[in-house]
């Protein structure tokens, strides 16, 4: 039984790698009406455009995190300056939303293969494959889902919203994010990418100040 589980997990990891190199995987969040209070809170969450946290220059632990994640991402994004900008934005937006940055990296790998202009068959856009209906719900006329920080801000805010709905159940929150609530394939793909490619020991995990 253990061998069968290991084989199944290995297959999921291999599939995740293939998806990361191919077309957009998912981004098929389902439209659900929001209570006015929830809509206002989400709108406020995505509207704040504070500058990126400058602590990478002052914090040796975050500098090590950036160096390690940049090394892992180099094959997918050869440009070191752009790679650094993306990783800083992922770290900032993830920690701002109360998410593990490594989880978000795994999700981006599965969703778009780190392609800024990825578009799914359902019309979802960008790194985190955000569905356009979210712009109407919580964005504004100037929202551009292909903008790096905007896409990450929306994606992290949406995943945080789903986690809150599911009372911290990541399996179900990821299912909602993918529009496949209750099915294991997508949560397992994200978990596999997260653990296989982006895991970082807890004792060294870069955290918000």
């Amino acid at each position: 039984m253990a061998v069968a589980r290991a084989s199944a997990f290995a297959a999921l990891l291999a599939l995740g790698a293939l998806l990361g190199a191919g077309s957009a995987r998912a981004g098929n969040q389902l439209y659900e009406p929001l209570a006015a209070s929830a809509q206002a809170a989400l709108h406020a969450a995505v509207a704040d455009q504070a500058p990126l946290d400058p602590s990478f220059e002052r914090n040796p632990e975050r500098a090590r995190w950036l160096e390690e994640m940049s090394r892992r991402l180099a094959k997918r994004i050869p440009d070191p300056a752009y790679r650094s900008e993306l990783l800083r934005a992922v770290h900032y937006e993830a920690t701002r939303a109360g998410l593990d940055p490594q989880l978000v990296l795994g999700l981006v790998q599965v969703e778009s293969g780190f392609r800024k202009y990825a578009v799914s068959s359902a019309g979802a856009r960008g790194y985190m494959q955000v569905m356009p209906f979210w712009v109407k719900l919580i964005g504004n006329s100037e929202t551009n889902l292909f903008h790096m920080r905007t896409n990450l801000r929306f994606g992290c805010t949406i995943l945080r919203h789903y986690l809150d709905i599911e009372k911290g159940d990541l399996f179900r929150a990821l299912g909602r994010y993918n529009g496949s609530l209750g099915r294991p394939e997508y949560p397992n793909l994200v978990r596999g990418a997260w653990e296989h490619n982006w895991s970082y020991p807890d004792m060294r995990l870069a955290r918000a100040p």
Side-chain angles (χ1 to χ4, degrees):
M1 182 66 72
V3 173
R5 285 200 190 100
S7 298
F9 188 65
L12 283 171
L13 291 178
L15 179 57
L18 288 172
L19 291 169
S23 60
R25 165 69 176 88
N28 194 25
Q29 304 107 7
L30 302 179
Y31 173 80
E32 299 176 65
L34 294 173
S37 57
Q39 187 170 357
L42 291 172
H43 175 76
V46 299
D48 174 20
Q49 291 297 323
L52 290 177
D53 188 346
S55 66
F56 282 98
E57 283 75 20
R58 303 193 308 266
N59 187 318
E61 186 54 44
R62 289 193 177 188
R64 285 193 292 271
W65 179 91
L66 182 62
E67 181 180 6
E68 175 61 21
M69 294 301 120
S70 182
R71 181 187 66 79
R72 299 183 195 185
L73 189 56
K75 289 184 179 180
R76 294 181 172 90
I77 300 179
D79 183 338
Y82 187 74
R83 193 165 66 239
S84 177
E85 181 186 6
L86 175 60
L87 287 167
R88 289 166 184 256
V90 166
H91 191 284
Y92 179 84
E93 296 300 340
T95 53
R96 179 182 181 277
L99 303 172
D100 187 324
Q102 290 74 242
L103 162 63
V104 174
L105 287 170
L107 187 147
V108 171
Q109 178 186 330
V110 171
E111 287 286 350
S112 66
F114 292 93
R115 292 182 299 119
K116 180 177 182 178
Y117 296 107
V119 179
S120 76
S121 59
R125 300 175 182 179
Y127 293 112
M128 295 188 73
Q129 290 291 277
V130 178
M131 291 292 283
F133 70 75
W134 284 106
V135 174
K136 295 180 180 179
L137 278 175
I138 60 176
N140 58 52
S141 60
E142 298 180 358
T143 299
N144 177 6
L145 291 178
F146 290 121
H147 181 271
M148 177 192 293
R149 282 197 64 195
T150 299
N151 189 274
L152 295 171
R153 171 66 57 86
F154 269 70
C156 289
T157 299
I158 292 162
L159 181 56
R160 178 76 258 171
H161 170 63
Y162 288 144
L163 268 169
D164 291 343
I165 289 175
E166 296 296 344
K167 297 178 172 56
D169 187 326
L170 181 60
F171 178 87
R172 289 182 60 83
L174 287 172
R176 283 185 179 275
Y177 194 93
N178 176 248
S180 61
L181 181 61
R183 300 205 302 270
E185 293 82 3
Y186 178 78
N188 285 343
L189 281 174
V190 173
R191 176 176 171 246
W194 177 15
E195 294 182 353
H196 185 68
N197 295 318
W198 309 107
S199 62
Y200 201 68
D202 288 344
M203 68 180 66
R204 298 169 56 207
L205 183 62
R207 298 184 184 278

